[in-house]
Amino acid sequence: MTYKLLWADSFDKDGYLNPDIWTVETGGHGFGNNESQFYTNQEKNIFVKDQMLHIAAHKESYEHRDYTSGKISTYQKKHIKYGRIEVEAKLPKGKGTWPAIWLLGENKKEAGWPLCGEIDLIEHIGRRPGQFHFSLHSKTFNHRKNNHLTYVYEDLSLLDGFQIFSIDWDEKQISFYINNKLMATFKKSKDASVEDWPFDQPFYLIINLAIGGHWGGDIDDQIFPVELQIKSVKVYERSES
């Protein structure tokens, strides 16, 4: 399969987050996971500097939460259906951190989760350092049923610098990679319904740094501030040439 670049962001202009691509999402309702952060639009939580995006979590009281962090998405701005997605990122260390680069179906507001589908390009929780999680969630298979499609790869050294996390996605399967090394492939079954495999529709990309929660676990307050750093996001579509 060959690809051509559809869109990209290299975060190369200090102080500028491209509004044609990204929306800053705010809120602190726990997001179904009892997360401890409030996502804000404060510059200290989301900023572009030194040719990279910084999503920074801080220990501070904000509204009804004791931590702040950042979350951005391409919802209703840039959607993706099939192709290749590459994100060059440096994931944070520290107990309580829960960085995620993931996708939801563009129909989330109408269909709801999990029917809209979820693709977890990469997740990492600080209480299990060096364990990288790649997952798919659907109405039939999701973490609330503890039967979601998932794979865990362990390499502590991958936390020491920037890595390229990517997926290849087509009508038949979704494959996950780190630095172009294949981690896992999940295949669509021949008789799959939309409840089993909702991945034949447009999705939007989300990047966030959650703190604590049911999965993130206990929080080490000595780690703050702590950052998820992104050098680039590249989205490719299939090319017939």
Side-chain angles (χ1 to χ4, degrees):
M1 181 63 66
T2 59
Y3 297 100
K4 63 179 180 180
L5 187 66
L6 184 62
W7 62 268
D9 195 343
S10 297
F11 307 103
D12 52 4
K13 185 178 179 182
D14 281 9
Y16 177 75
L17 185 67
N18 191 334
D20 294 329
I21 298 176
W22 305 106
T23 295
V24 175
E25 299 194 0
T26 60
H29 55 75
F31 303 94
N33 304 305
N34 195 35
E35 296 165 26
S36 298
Q37 80 288 336
F38 198 106
Y39 290 128
T40 85
N41 58 5
Q42 298 180 111
E43 185 176 350
K44 68 178 178 180
N45 292 124
I46 302 175
F47 60 96
V48 177
K49 185 179 179 182
D50 299 328
Q51 296 189 311
M52 68 182 77
L53 168 69
H54 303 253
I55 296 182
H58 292 261
K59 173 74 173 76
E60 62 173 333
S61 296
Y62 192 98
E63 304 250 344
H64 57 292
R65 295 294 182 184
D66 294 323
Y67 305 87
T68 62
S69 191
K71 179 180 185 179
I72 61 173
S73 85
T74 67
Y75 180 60
Q76 293 187 331
K77 293 183 176 179
K78 296 287 187 182
H79 65 257
I80 306 150
K81 180 184 176 183
Y82 308 141
R84 181 174 179 84
I85 304 168
E86 295 180 351
V87 181
E88 186 173 4
K90 182 179 181 181
L91 305 186
K93 300 177 183 179
K95 189 178 290 185
T97 58
W98 179 1
I101 303 168
W102 53 303
L103 301 98
L104 288 173
E106 190 80 14
N107 67 340
K108 178 180 181 293
K109 288 188 176 179
E110 296 78 28
W113 187 96
L115 185 58
C116 69
E118 176 179 329
I119 303 170
D120 295 323
L121 191 152
I122 188 66
E123 290 183 289
H124 180 273
I125 51 172
R127 64 186 174 88
R128 297 176 185 167
Q131 290 187 5
F132 298 87
H133 296 255
F134 315 88
S135 305
L136 299 179
H137 301 265
S138 66
K139 186 172 182 180
T140 305
F141 308 103
N142 61 76
H143 74 274
R144 291 180 181 172
K145 295 182 178 181
N146 199 32
N147 66 350
H148 57 298
L149 303 174
T150 191
Y151 176 75
V152 180
Y153 178 76
E154 191 161 355
D155 184 345
L156 189 61
S157 70
L158 292 175
L159 290 176
D160 290 335
F162 283 88
Q163 319 298 336
I164 298 175
F165 303 99
S166 59
I167 62 169
D168 285 338
W169 170 21
D170 62 30
E171 297 93 338
K172 296 181 180 180
Q173 62 190 32
I174 299 176
S175 296
F176 296 77
Y177 301 82
I178 300 180
N179 299 326
N180 294 316
K181 177 182 177 182
L182 179 64
M183 297 289 108
T185 297
F186 301 121
K187 297 179 180 291
K188 180 181 180 180
S189 63
K190 291 183 179 180
D191 58 349
S193 69
V194 68
E195 294 185 354
D196 304 331
W197 188 270
F199 309 111
D200 295 313
Q201 61 171 328
F203 276 63
Y204 66 97
L205 181 65
I206 307 158
I207 302 175
N208 65 270
L209 174 52
I211 299 297
H214 295 314
W215 203 39
D218 293 339
I219 303 165
D220 178 5
D221 285 345
Q222 303 304 308
I223 65 174
F224 296 96
V226 64
E227 290 189 0
L228 166 61
Q229 299 176 350
I230 308 289
K231 278 190 178 179
S232 65
V233 176
K234 299 177 181 178
V235 176
Y236 300 83
E237 60 181 355
R238 294 179 295 185
S239 174
E240 301 304 323
S241 59

